[in-house]
Amino acid sequence: SDVYKRQAWIYRSPGGQQLVLVEDGATLLLLSGHANQRGLIWQEVMTVDGLTGWIDADKLAEETGDSGG
C-alpha cells in the first residue's frame, strides 16, 4: 500500500509565491506575523534551514494537534 505523507507549502507572502514544501511533522518556528488573505489565516514561520515564509494556519493546526479549543 502507498504511504501518504502530508505536506504543506510555505509561501513567500500570504497567498503568494510558493517557497518551500515541508513534510508533515517538520519543525517550524512560529514568528510574530499574522495575516488574513483570501479568507485564510496565515502564520509567519521560519524553517530549521532559516527560511522565513508564511503557512496556512489551518495546516499548522493539523500538525500541532487539537489544543482543546
Side-chain angles (χ1 to χ4, degrees), residues 16-44:
Q17 184 182 10
Q18 290 171 339
L19 179 62
V20 63
L21 189 61
V22 293
E23 298 287 341
D24 184 25
T27 301
L28 295 173
L29 303 173
L30 301 183
L31 303 180
S32 59
H34 294 87
N36 192 325
Q37 179 77 6
R38 297 184 186 174
L40 297 173
I41 304 300
W42 297 83
Q43 169 69 53
E44 189 181 16

Side-chain angles (χ1 to χ4, degrees), residues 1-8 23-24 59 62:
S1 64
D2 291 336
V3 176
Y4 174 69
K5 228 176 156 42
R6 263 206 326 258
Q7 296 174 317
E23 298 287 341
D24 184 25
K59 300 250 187 333
E62 292 171 10

